[in-house]
Amino acid sequence: DIARIYGIPPHMIGDLERATFSNIEQQSIEFVMHTIRPWAVRIEQAIQVAMLSDSTQQRKTFFAEVLIDGLMRGDLKSRYDAYMVARQGGWLSINDVREKENMNPITNGDDYLQPLNMAPVGTKPSATGEPQK
């Protein structure tokens, strides 16, 4: 009953009576989304009000953010599949991925990929891979 009041899923207090792997994973995601995230937003807002002056410049420069990415990481295969899609889609660099995995950056790792089949219509890739009109 106490866990229910605070929004804690049963498996987190050791009640595995009706637990399966898939519903435990879903309950964990829901716990982060519906219990942790609302509190994180409240904390961010409280810091914004209490610690940053009404100065427009200060509020443009500083902000509070609670990062819950680590709680939403999921299993290794799902993470790596997501990184592959993001890397090949051109919106994450290899260093962006390495940063999310707490790894050191590598030389030339800030380059972003551009899929050749997504060039503007009417352009042809040159020998260097750059689109030409």
Side-chain angles (χ1 to χ4, degrees):
D1 288 340
I2 294 170
R4 188 179 311 117
I5 291 169
Y6 288 103
I8 309 294
H11 76 275
M12 294 184 99
I13 61 166
D15 180 4
L16 302 175
E17 186 177 315
R18 288 178 257 154
T20 66
F21 175 75
S22 59
N23 75 359
I24 285 179
E25 183 179 19
Q26 189 59 41
Q27 286 178 23
S28 296
I29 291 169
E30 290 174 359
F31 175 67
V32 172
M33 289 178 7
H34 300 299
T35 303
I36 301 291
R37 183 66 190 141
W39 280 104
V41 169
R42 289 181 191 110
I43 291 167
E44 291 168 352
Q45 292 171 345
I47 291 171
Q48 185 81 8
V49 169
M51 301 192 80
L52 300 178
S53 71
D54 291 333
S55 156
T56 308
Q57 182 60 35
Q58 190 177 28
R59 291 202 179 206
K60 284 183 180 177
T61 306
F62 302 105
F63 64 95
E65 181 179 20
V66 177
L67 298 176
I68 59 171
D69 294 351
L71 297 173
M72 298 296 287
R73 280 181 128 177
D75 64 279
L76 188 65
K77 182 178 178 355
S78 297
R79 280 199 333 265
Y80 284 6
D81 287 347
Y83 293 150
M84 184 176 67
V85 168
R87 175 81 172 121
Q88 291 175 351
W91 53 276
L92 280 183
S93 73
I94 193 65
N95 280 343
D96 294 334
V97 172
R98 291 178 65 83
E99 181 180 341
K100 289 184 177 298
E101 289 296 315
N102 295 322
M103 299 169 79
N104 292 329
I106 61 171
T107 306
N108 298 325
D110 291 320
D111 296 334
Y112 291 87
L113 302 178
Q114 177 182 344
L116 291 175
N117 63 347
M118 295 182 67
V121 175
T123 61
K124 299 177 194 173
S126 68
T128 63
E130 294 294 320
Q132 295 178 339
K133 290 208 177 208

PDB file of all heavy atoms in Angstrom, residues 26-62:
ATOM      1  N   GLN A  26       8.575  -2.715 -18.673  1.00  0.00           N
ATOM      2  CA  GLN A  26       7.572  -1.683 -18.928  1.00  0.00           C
ATOM      3  C   GLN A  26       7.243  -0.915 -17.648  1.00  0.00           C
ATOM      4  O   GLN A  26       7.098   0.306 -17.669  1.00  0.00           O
ATOM      5  CB  GLN A  26       6.302  -2.309 -19.512  1.00  0.00           C
ATOM      6  CG  GLN A  26       5.308  -1.292 -20.009  1.00  0.00           C
ATOM      7  CD  GLN A  26       5.880  -0.387 -21.086  1.00  0.00           C
ATOM      8  OE1 GLN A  26       6.598  -0.814 -21.970  1.00  0.00           O
ATOM      9  NE2 GLN A  26       5.571   0.896 -21.005  1.00  0.00           N
ATOM     10  N   GLN A  27       7.151  -1.601 -16.520  1.00  0.00           N
ATOM     11  CA  GLN A  27       6.884  -0.925 -15.253  1.00  0.00           C
ATOM     12  C   GLN A  27       8.021   0.018 -14.886  1.00  0.00           C
ATOM     13  O   GLN A  27       7.781   1.104 -14.344  1.00  0.00           O
ATOM     14  CB  GLN A  27       6.681  -1.944 -14.129  1.00  0.00           C
ATOM     15  CG  GLN A  27       5.368  -2.670 -14.184  1.00  0.00           C
ATOM     16  CD  GLN A  27       5.252  -3.690 -13.068  1.00  0.00           C
ATOM     17  OE1 GLN A  27       5.905  -3.590 -12.031  1.00  0.00           O
ATOM     18  NE2 GLN A  27       4.394  -4.683 -13.262  1.00  0.00           N
ATOM     19  N   SER A  28       9.248  -0.375 -15.192  1.00  0.00           N
ATOM     20  CA  SER A  28      10.398   0.490 -14.908  1.00  0.00           C
ATOM     21  C   SER A  28      10.345   1.752 -15.754  1.00  0.00           C
ATOM     22  O   SER A  28      10.615   2.853 -15.263  1.00  0.00           O
ATOM     23  CB  SER A  28      11.700  -0.268 -15.166  1.00  0.00           C
ATOM     24  OG  SER A  28      11.817  -1.351 -14.275  1.00  0.00           O
ATOM     25  N   ILE A  29       9.998   1.611 -17.015  1.00  0.00           N
ATOM     26  CA  ILE A  29       9.872   2.776 -17.905  1.00  0.00           C
ATOM     27  C   ILE A  29       8.756   3.692 -17.398  1.00  0.00           C
ATOM     28  O   ILE A  29       8.917   4.916 -17.332  1.00  0.00           O
ATOM     29  CB  ILE A  29       9.611   2.325 -19.355  1.00  0.00           C
ATOM     30  CG1 ILE A  29      10.866   1.644 -19.918  1.00  0.00           C
ATOM     31  CG2 ILE A  29       9.183   3.498 -20.230  1.00  0.00           C
ATOM     32  CD1 ILE A  29      10.647   0.924 -21.233  1.00  0.00           C
ATOM     33  N   GLU A  30       7.629   3.105 -17.039  1.00  0.00           N
ATOM     34  CA  GLU A  30       6.510   3.903 -16.526  1.00  0.00           C
ATOM     35  C   GLU A  30       6.873   4.595 -15.217  1.00  0.00           C
ATOM     36  O   GLU A  30       6.465   5.734 -14.988  1.00  0.00           O
ATOM     37  CB  GLU A  30       5.279   3.020 -16.338  1.00  0.00           C
ATOM     38  CG  GLU A  30       4.672   2.572 -17.646  1.00  0.00           C
ATOM     39  CD  GLU A  30       3.540   1.572 -17.470  1.00  0.00           C
ATOM     40  OE1 GLU A  30       3.221   1.206 -16.313  1.00  0.00           O
ATOM     41  OE2 GLU A  30       2.985   1.153 -18.494  1.00  0.00           O
ATOM     42  N   PHE A  31       7.655   3.937 -14.373  1.00  0.00           N
ATOM     43  CA  PHE A  31       8.093   4.542 -13.115  1.00  0.00           C
ATOM     44  C   PHE A  31       8.912   5.799 -13.390  1.00  0.00           C
ATOM     45  O   PHE A  31       8.693   6.841 -12.767  1.00  0.00           O
ATOM     46  CB  PHE A  31       8.910   3.527 -12.308  1.00  0.00           C
ATOM     47  CG  PHE A  31       9.510   4.087 -11.051  1.00  0.00           C
ATOM     48  CD1 PHE A  31       8.707   4.487 -10.002  1.00  0.00           C
ATOM     49  CD2 PHE A  31      10.881   4.217 -10.924  1.00  0.00           C
ATOM     50  CE1 PHE A  31       9.260   4.993  -8.831  1.00  0.00           C
ATOM     51  CE2 PHE A  31      11.442   4.729  -9.760  1.00  0.00           C
ATOM     52  CZ  PHE A  31      10.630   5.126  -8.714  1.00  0.00           C
ATOM     53  N   VAL A  32       9.827   5.716 -14.337  1.00  0.00           N
ATOM     54  CA  VAL A  32      10.644   6.884 -14.674  1.00  0.00           C
ATOM     55  C   VAL A  32       9.772   7.982 -15.269  1.00  0.00           C
ATOM     56  O   VAL A  32       9.870   9.149 -14.879  1.00  0.00           O
ATOM     57  CB  VAL A  32      11.787   6.508 -15.645  1.00  0.00           C
ATOM     58  CG1 VAL A  32      12.510   7.749 -16.149  1.00  0.00           C
ATOM     59  CG2 VAL A  32      12.772   5.575 -14.968  1.00  0.00           C
ATOM     60  N   MET A  33       8.889   7.618 -16.192  1.00  0.00           N
ATOM     61  CA  MET A  33       8.062   8.627 -16.872  1.00  0.00           C
ATOM     62  C   MET A  33       7.028   9.269 -15.961  1.00  0.00           C
ATOM     63  O   MET A  33       6.813  10.477 -16.016  1.00  0.00           O
ATOM     64  CB  MET A  33       7.353   7.998 -18.079  1.00  0.00           C
ATOM     65  CG  MET A  33       8.284   7.687 -19.216  1.00  0.00           C
ATOM     66  SD  MET A  33       7.533   6.893 -20.674  1.00  0.00           S
ATOM     67  CE  MET A  33       5.813   6.873 -20.406  1.00  0.00           C
ATOM     68  N   HIS A  34       6.382   8.459 -15.131  1.00  0.00           N
ATOM     69  CA  HIS A  34       5.230   8.968 -14.373  1.00  0.00           C
ATOM     70  C   HIS A  34       5.525   9.294 -12.912  1.00  0.00           C
ATOM     71  O   HIS A  34       4.706   9.945 -12.261  1.00  0.00           O
ATOM     72  CB  HIS A  34       4.073   7.974 -14.449  1.00  0.00           C
ATOM     73  CG  HIS A  34       3.613   7.724 -15.851  1.00  0.00           C
ATOM     74  ND1 HIS A  34       3.102   8.704 -16.669  1.00  0.00           N
ATOM     75  CD2 HIS A  34       3.623   6.594 -16.601  1.00  0.00           C
ATOM     76  CE1 HIS A  34       2.804   8.202 -17.847  1.00  0.00           C
ATOM     77  NE2 HIS A  34       3.107   6.918 -17.832  1.00  0.00           N
ATOM     78  N   THR A  35       6.666   8.856 -12.388  1.00  0.00           N
ATOM     79  CA  THR A  35       6.999   9.158 -10.994  1.00  0.00           C
ATOM     80  C   THR A  35       8.248  10.025 -10.902  1.00  0.00           C
ATOM     81  O   THR A  35       8.210  11.099 -10.303  1.00  0.00           O
ATOM     82  CB  THR A  35       7.200   7.856 -10.183  1.00  0.00           C
ATOM     83  OG1 THR A  35       6.008   7.070 -10.282  1.00  0.00           O
ATOM     84  CG2 THR A  35       7.476   8.159  -8.727  1.00  0.00           C
ATOM     85  N   ILE A  36       9.332   9.585 -11.503  1.00  0.00           N
ATOM     86  CA  ILE A  36      10.596  10.327 -11.403  1.00  0.00           C
ATOM     87  C   ILE A  36      10.551  11.623 -12.209  1.00  0.00           C
ATOM     88  O   ILE A  36      10.925  12.688 -11.706  1.00  0.00           O
ATOM     89  CB  ILE A  36      11.781   9.456 -11.878  1.00  0.00           C
ATOM     90  CG1 ILE A  36      11.895   8.184 -11.048  1.00  0.00           C
ATOM     91  CG2 ILE A  36      13.080  10.253 -11.875  1.00  0.00           C
ATOM     92  CD1 ILE A  36      12.319   8.411  -9.628  1.00  0.00           C
ATOM     93  N   ARG A  37      10.105  11.572 -13.465  1.00  0.00           N
ATOM     94  CA  ARG A  37      10.138  12.757 -14.334  1.00  0.00           C
ATOM     95  C   ARG A  37       9.326  13.925 -13.776  1.00  0.00           C
ATOM     96  O   ARG A  37       9.807  15.061 -13.780  1.00  0.00           O
ATOM     97  CB  ARG A  37       9.674  12.378 -15.749  1.00  0.00           C
ATOM     98  CG  ARG A  37       9.752  13.515 -16.731  1.00  0.00           C
ATOM     99  CD  ARG A  37      11.191  13.923 -16.986  1.00  0.00           C
ATOM    100  NE  ARG A  37      11.222  15.157 -17.752  1.00  0.00           N
ATOM    101  CZ  ARG A  37      12.097  16.131 -17.552  1.00  0.00           C
ATOM    102  NH1 ARG A  37      13.032  16.016 -16.652  1.00  0.00           N
ATOM    103  NH2 ARG A  37      12.050  17.222 -18.259  1.00  0.00           N
ATOM    104  N   PRO A  38       8.091  13.722 -13.279  1.00  0.00           N
ATOM    105  CA  PRO A  38       7.368  14.866 -12.709  1.00  0.00           C
ATOM    106  C   PRO A  38       8.118  15.526 -11.549  1.00  0.00           C
ATOM    107  O   PRO A  38       8.118  16.748 -11.423  1.00  0.00           O
ATOM    108  CB  PRO A  38       6.043  14.259 -12.241  1.00  0.00           C
ATOM    109  CG  PRO A  38       5.846  13.067 -13.105  1.00  0.00           C
ATOM    110  CD  PRO A  38       7.223  12.532 -13.353  1.00  0.00           C
ATOM    111  N   TRP A  39       8.770  14.718 -10.708  1.00  0.00           N
ATOM    112  CA  TRP A  39       9.554  15.297  -9.622  1.00  0.00           C
ATOM    113  C   TRP A  39      10.764  16.040 -10.157  1.00  0.00           C
ATOM    114  O   TRP A  39      11.132  17.102  -9.645  1.00  0.00           O
ATOM    115  CB  TRP A  39       9.970  14.214  -8.618  1.00  0.00           C
ATOM    116  CG  TRP A  39       8.865  13.889  -7.675  1.00  0.00           C
ATOM    117  CD1 TRP A  39       8.065  12.789  -7.684  1.00  0.00           C
ATOM    118  CD2 TRP A  39       8.409  14.709  -6.599  1.00  0.00           C
ATOM    119  NE1 TRP A  39       7.136  12.872  -6.680  1.00  0.00           N
ATOM    120  CE2 TRP A  39       7.329  14.045  -5.992  1.00  0.00           C
ATOM    121  CE3 TRP A  39       8.798  15.948  -6.094  1.00  0.00           C
ATOM    122  CZ2 TRP A  39       6.640  14.560  -4.898  1.00  0.00           C
ATOM    123  CZ3 TRP A  39       8.111  16.462  -5.004  1.00  0.00           C
ATOM    124  CH2 TRP A  39       7.044  15.773  -4.424  1.00  0.00           C
ATOM    125  N   ALA A  40      11.390  15.503 -11.186  1.00  0.00           N
ATOM    126  CA  ALA A  40      12.544  16.179 -11.794  1.00  0.00           C
ATOM    127  C   ALA A  40      12.137  17.541 -12.356  1.00  0.00           C
ATOM    128  O   ALA A  40      12.858  18.528 -12.190  1.00  0.00           O
ATOM    129  CB  ALA A  40      13.149  15.304 -12.889  1.00  0.00           C
ATOM    130  N   VAL A  41      10.977  17.611 -12.991  1.00  0.00           N
ATOM    131  CA  VAL A  41      10.483  18.888 -13.531  1.00  0.00           C
ATOM    132  C   VAL A  41      10.229  19.874 -12.394  1.00  0.00           C
ATOM    133  O   VAL A  41      10.594  21.053 -12.492  1.00  0.00           O
ATOM    134  CB  VAL A  41       9.207  18.665 -14.373  1.00  0.00           C
ATOM    135  CG1 VAL A  41       8.531  19.986 -14.718  1.00  0.00           C
ATOM    136  CG2 VAL A  41       9.540  17.897 -15.640  1.00  0.00           C
ATOM    137  N   ARG A  42       9.646  19.416 -11.304  1.00  0.00           N
ATOM    138  CA  ARG A  42       9.400  20.299 -10.151  1.00  0.00           C
ATOM    139  C   ARG A  42      10.718  20.839  -9.586  1.00  0.00           C
ATOM    140  O   ARG A  42      10.817  22.014  -9.239  1.00  0.00           O
ATOM    141  CB  ARG A  42       8.647  19.544  -9.059  1.00  0.00           C
ATOM    142  CG  ARG A  42       7.210  19.249  -9.396  1.00  0.00           C
ATOM    143  CD  ARG A  42       6.520  18.516  -8.240  1.00  0.00           C
ATOM    144  NE  ARG A  42       5.243  18.011  -8.658  1.00  0.00           N
ATOM    145  CZ  ARG A  42       4.953  16.726  -8.836  1.00  0.00           C
ATOM    146  NH1 ARG A  42       5.856  15.801  -8.597  1.00  0.00           N
ATOM    147  NH2 ARG A  42       3.764  16.348  -9.228  1.00  0.00           N
ATOM    148  N   ILE A  43      11.720  19.978  -9.496  1.00  0.00           N
ATOM    149  CA  ILE A  43      13.027  20.409  -8.986  1.00  0.00           C
ATOM    150  C   ILE A  43      13.649  21.427  -9.924  1.00  0.00           C
ATOM    151  O   ILE A  43      14.183  22.451  -9.479  1.00  0.00           O
ATOM    152  CB  ILE A  43      13.949  19.182  -8.783  1.00  0.00           C
ATOM    153  CG1 ILE A  43      13.430  18.337  -7.623  1.00  0.00           C
ATOM    154  CG2 ILE A  43      15.394  19.606  -8.558  1.00  0.00           C
ATOM    155  CD1 ILE A  43      14.058  16.961  -7.517  1.00  0.00           C
ATOM    156  N   GLU A  44      13.599  21.178 -11.229  1.00  0.00           N
ATOM    157  CA  GLU A  44      14.134  22.132 -12.210  1.00  0.00           C
ATOM    158  C   GLU A  44      13.459  23.491 -12.067  1.00  0.00           C
ATOM    159  O   GLU A  44      14.115  24.532 -12.066  1.00  0.00           O
ATOM    160  CB  GLU A  44      13.918  21.608 -13.637  1.00  0.00           C
ATOM    161  CG  GLU A  44      14.737  20.402 -13.998  1.00  0.00           C
ATOM    162  CD  GLU A  44      14.290  19.751 -15.295  1.00  0.00           C
ATOM    163  OE1 GLU A  44      13.248  20.125 -15.863  1.00  0.00           O
ATOM    164  OE2 GLU A  44      15.005  18.832 -15.736  1.00  0.00           O
ATOM    165  N   GLN A  45      12.137  23.484 -11.956  1.00  0.00           N
ATOM    166  CA  GLN A  45      11.392  24.738 -11.831  1.00  0.00           C
ATOM    167  C   GLN A  45      11.716  25.456 -10.526  1.00  0.00           C
ATOM    168  O   GLN A  45      11.851  26.688 -10.502  1.00  0.00           O
ATOM    169  CB  GLN A  45       9.895  24.472 -11.956  1.00  0.00           C
ATOM    170  CG  GLN A  45       9.488  24.043 -13.344  1.00  0.00           C
ATOM    171  CD  GLN A  45       8.045  23.575 -13.425  1.00  0.00           C
ATOM    172  OE1 GLN A  45       7.395  23.300 -12.420  1.00  0.00           O
ATOM    173  NE2 GLN A  45       7.543  23.465 -14.650  1.00  0.00           N
ATOM    174  N   ALA A  46      11.854  24.720  -9.442  1.00  0.00           N
ATOM    175  CA  ALA A  46      12.184  25.330  -8.147  1.00  0.00           C
ATOM    176  C   ALA A  46      13.566  25.975  -8.194  1.00  0.00           C
ATOM    177  O   ALA A  46      13.758  27.081  -7.670  1.00  0.00           O
ATOM    178  CB  ALA A  46      12.127  24.287  -7.039  1.00  0.00           C
ATOM    179  N   ILE A  47      14.517  25.317  -8.820  1.00  0.00           N
ATOM    180  CA  ILE A  47      15.856  25.891  -8.952  1.00  0.00           C
ATOM    181  C   ILE A  47      15.800  27.152  -9.809  1.00  0.00           C
ATOM    182  O   ILE A  47      16.421  28.166  -9.480  1.00  0.00           O
ATOM    183  CB  ILE A  47      16.838  24.862  -9.553  1.00  0.00           C
ATOM    184  CG1 ILE A  47      17.097  23.751  -8.539  1.00  0.00           C
ATOM    185  CG2 ILE A  47      18.145  25.527  -9.987  1.00  0.00           C
ATOM    186  CD1 ILE A  47      17.872  22.572  -9.093  1.00  0.00           C
ATOM    187  N   GLN A  48      15.041  27.093 -10.878  1.00  0.00           N
ATOM    188  CA  GLN A  48      14.905  28.251 -11.775  1.00  0.00           C
ATOM    189  C   GLN A  48      14.368  29.466 -11.013  1.00  0.00           C
ATOM    190  O   GLN A  48      14.878  30.564 -11.133  1.00  0.00           O
ATOM    191  CB  GLN A  48      13.963  27.884 -12.929  1.00  0.00           C
ATOM    192  CG  GLN A  48      13.812  28.932 -13.993  1.00  0.00           C
ATOM    193  CD  GLN A  48      14.940  28.923 -14.999  1.00  0.00           C
ATOM    194  OE1 GLN A  48      15.788  28.034 -14.995  1.00  0.00           O
ATOM    195  NE2 GLN A  48      14.971  29.913 -15.836  1.00  0.00           N
ATOM    196  N   VAL A  49      13.345  29.246 -10.199  1.00  0.00           N
ATOM    197  CA  VAL A  49      12.715  30.347  -9.462  1.00  0.00           C
ATOM    198  C   VAL A  49      13.600  30.817  -8.305  1.00  0.00           C
ATOM    199  O   VAL A  49      13.790  32.013  -8.098  1.00  0.00           O
ATOM    200  CB  VAL A  49      11.325  29.909  -8.937  1.00  0.00           C
ATOM    201  CG1 VAL A  49      10.769  30.908  -7.950  1.00  0.00           C
ATOM    202  CG2 VAL A  49      10.370  29.717 -10.096  1.00  0.00           C
ATOM    203  N   ALA A  50      14.152  29.882  -7.544  1.00  0.00           N
ATOM    204  CA  ALA A  50      14.869  30.229  -6.317  1.00  0.00           C
ATOM    205  C   ALA A  50      16.297  30.716  -6.550  1.00  0.00           C
ATOM    206  O   ALA A  50      16.790  31.542  -5.789  1.00  0.00           O
ATOM    207  CB  ALA A  50      14.893  29.028  -5.379  1.00  0.00           C
ATOM    208  N   MET A  51      16.949  30.218  -7.583  1.00  0.00           N
ATOM    209  CA  MET A  51      18.374  30.498  -7.702  1.00  0.00           C
ATOM    210  C   MET A  51      18.738  31.448  -8.838  1.00  0.00           C
ATOM    211  O   MET A  51      19.840  31.981  -8.845  1.00  0.00           O
ATOM    212  CB  MET A  51      19.144  29.190  -7.869  1.00  0.00           C
ATOM    213  CG  MET A  51      18.923  28.256  -6.685  1.00  0.00           C
ATOM    214  SD  MET A  51      20.035  26.898  -6.655  1.00  0.00           S
ATOM    215  CE  MET A  51      21.490  27.649  -5.978  1.00  0.00           C
ATOM    216  N   LEU A  52      17.856  31.646  -9.794  1.00  0.00           N
ATOM    217  CA  LEU A  52      18.169  32.545 -10.904  1.00  0.00           C
ATOM    218  C   LEU A  52      17.336  33.808 -10.770  1.00  0.00           C
ATOM    219  O   LEU A  52      16.127  33.738 -10.587  1.00  0.00           O
ATOM    220  CB  LEU A  52      17.902  31.859 -12.244  1.00  0.00           C
ATOM    221  CG  LEU A  52      18.706  30.592 -12.511  1.00  0.00           C
ATOM    222  CD1 LEU A  52      18.304  29.988 -13.843  1.00  0.00           C
ATOM    223  CD2 LEU A  52      20.192  30.879 -12.481  1.00  0.00           C
ATOM    224  N   SER A  53      17.991  34.938 -10.885  1.00  0.00           N
ATOM    225  CA  SER A  53      17.272  36.203 -10.741  1.00  0.00           C
ATOM    226  C   SER A  53      16.338  36.398 -11.929  1.00  0.00           C
ATOM    227  O   SER A  53      16.400  35.680 -12.921  1.00  0.00           O
ATOM    228  CB  SER A  53      18.264  37.364 -10.647  1.00  0.00           C
ATOM    229  OG  SER A  53      18.874  37.583 -11.900  1.00  0.00           O
ATOM    230  N   ASP A  54      15.509  37.395 -11.825  1.00  0.00           N
ATOM    231  CA  ASP A  54      14.586  37.697 -12.917  1.00  0.00           C
ATOM    232  C   ASP A  54      15.297  38.318 -14.109  1.00  0.00           C
ATOM    233  O   ASP A  54      14.671  38.595 -15.118  1.00  0.00           O
ATOM    234  CB  ASP A  54      13.463  38.623 -12.422  1.00  0.00           C
ATOM    235  CG  ASP A  54      12.534  37.905 -11.463  1.00  0.00           C
ATOM    236  OD1 ASP A  54      12.420  36.666 -11.581  1.00  0.00           O
ATOM    237  OD2 ASP A  54      11.929  38.570 -10.612  1.00  0.00           O
ATOM    238  N   SER A  55      16.592  38.542 -13.982  1.00  0.00           N
ATOM    239  CA  SER A  55      17.379  39.102 -15.073  1.00  0.00           C
ATOM    240  C   SER A  55      17.256  38.225 -16.316  1.00  0.00           C
ATOM    241  O   SER A  55      17.510  37.029 -16.269  1.00  0.00           O
ATOM    242  CB  SER A  55      18.846  39.208 -14.646  1.00  0.00           C
ATOM    243  OG  SER A  55      19.696  39.203 -15.756  1.00  0.00           O
ATOM    244  N   THR A  56      16.858  38.817 -17.396  1.00  0.00           N
ATOM    245  CA  THR A  56      16.704  38.079 -18.650  1.00  0.00           C
ATOM    246  C   THR A  56      18.015  37.449 -19.066  1.00  0.00           C
ATOM    247  O   THR A  56      18.045  36.303 -19.507  1.00  0.00           O
ATOM    248  CB  THR A  56      16.207  39.020 -19.770  1.00  0.00           C
ATOM    249  OG1 THR A  56      15.045  39.701 -19.296  1.00  0.00           O
ATOM    250  CG2 THR A  56      15.871  38.250 -21.013  1.00  0.00           C
ATOM    251  N   GLN A  57      19.121  38.165 -18.909  1.00  0.00           N
ATOM    252  CA  GLN A  57      20.419  37.645 -19.318  1.00  0.00           C
ATOM    253  C   GLN A  57      20.786  36.400 -18.509  1.00  0.00           C
ATOM    254  O   GLN A  57      21.264  35.422 -19.058  1.00  0.00           O
ATOM    255  CB  GLN A  57      21.511  38.719 -19.156  1.00  0.00           C
ATOM    256  CG  GLN A  57      22.895  38.267 -19.611  1.00  0.00           C
ATOM    257  CD  GLN A  57      22.926  37.866 -21.075  1.00  0.00           C
ATOM    258  OE1 GLN A  57      22.240  38.443 -21.900  1.00  0.00           O
ATOM    259  NE2 GLN A  57      23.714  36.861 -21.385  1.00  0.00           N
ATOM    260  N   GLN A  58      20.561  36.435 -17.207  1.00  0.00           N
ATOM    261  CA  GLN A  58      20.917  35.287 -16.377  1.00  0.00           C
ATOM    262  C   GLN A  58      20.066  34.067 -16.746  1.00  0.00           C
ATOM    263  O   GLN A  58      20.559  32.960 -16.825  1.00  0.00           O
ATOM    264  CB  GLN A  58      20.754  35.608 -14.900  1.00  0.00           C
ATOM    265  CG  GLN A  58      21.338  34.540 -14.014  1.00  0.00           C
ATOM    266  CD  GLN A  58      21.249  34.873 -12.541  1.00  0.00           C
ATOM    267  OE1 GLN A  58      20.360  35.595 -12.114  1.00  0.00           O
ATOM    268  NE2 GLN A  58      22.185  34.349 -11.775  1.00  0.00           N
ATOM    269  N   ARG A  59      18.805  34.264 -17.019  1.00  0.00           N
ATOM    270  CA  ARG A  59      17.931  33.137 -17.366  1.00  0.00           C
ATOM    271  C   ARG A  59      18.217  32.610 -18.763  1.00  0.00           C
ATOM    272  O   ARG A  59      17.920  31.463 -19.063  1.00  0.00           O
ATOM    273  CB  ARG A  59      16.475  33.535 -17.230  1.00  0.00           C
ATOM    274  CG  ARG A  59      16.132  33.737 -15.767  1.00  0.00           C
ATOM    275  CD  ARG A  59      14.698  33.625 -15.499  1.00  0.00           C
ATOM    276  NE  ARG A  59      14.515  33.808 -14.058  1.00  0.00           N
ATOM    277  CZ  ARG A  59      13.524  33.321 -13.399  1.00  0.00           C
ATOM    278  NH1 ARG A  59      12.615  32.628 -14.011  1.00  0.00           N
ATOM    279  NH2 ARG A  59      13.418  33.523 -12.120  1.00  0.00           N
ATOM    280  N   LYS A  60      18.801  33.443 -19.640  1.00  0.00           N
ATOM    281  CA  LYS A  60      19.199  32.961 -20.959  1.00  0.00           C
ATOM    282  C   LYS A  60      20.505  32.178 -20.880  1.00  0.00           C
ATOM    283  O   LYS A  60      20.763  31.317 -21.700  1.00  0.00           O
ATOM    284  CB  LYS A  60      19.379  34.131 -21.933  1.00  0.00           C
ATOM    285  CG  LYS A  60      18.086  34.714 -22.439  1.00  0.00           C
ATOM    286  CD  LYS A  60      18.360  35.806 -23.442  1.00  0.00           C
ATOM    287  CE  LYS A  60      17.086  36.402 -23.976  1.00  0.00           C
ATOM    288  NZ  LYS A  60      17.336  37.505 -24.906  1.00  0.00           N
ATOM    289  N   THR A  61      21.341  32.499 -19.910  1.00  0.00           N
ATOM    290  CA  THR A  61      22.658  31.879 -19.798  1.00  0.00           C
ATOM    291  C   THR A  61      22.628  30.581 -19.005  1.00  0.00           C
ATOM    292  O   THR A  61      23.287  29.617 -19.371  1.00  0.00           O
ATOM    293  CB  THR A  61      23.644  32.858 -19.119  1.00  0.00           C
ATOM    294  OG1 THR A  61      23.632  34.095 -19.839  1.00  0.00           O
ATOM    295  CG2 THR A  61      25.043  32.308 -19.107  1.00  0.00           C
ATOM    296  N   PHE A  62      21.864  30.534 -17.916  1.00  0.00           N
ATOM    297  CA  PHE A  62      21.867  29.381 -17.019  1.00  0.00           C
ATOM    298  C   PHE A  62      20.495  28.720 -16.967  1.00  0.00           C
ATOM    299  O   PHE A  62      19.473  29.377 -17.115  1.00  0.00           O
ATOM    300  CB  PHE A  62      22.255  29.804 -15.598  1.00  0.00           C
ATOM    301  CG  PHE A  62      23.595  30.468 -15.522  1.00  0.00           C
ATOM    302  CD1 PHE A  62      23.686  31.839 -15.349  1.00  0.00           C
ATOM    303  CD2 PHE A  62      24.753  29.725 -15.626  1.00  0.00           C
ATOM    304  CE1 PHE A  62      24.923  32.462 -15.280  1.00  0.00           C
ATOM    305  CE2 PHE A  62      25.989  30.333 -15.562  1.00  0.00           C
ATOM    306  CZ  PHE A  62      26.074  31.704 -15.391  1.00  0.00           C
TER     307      PHE A  62
END
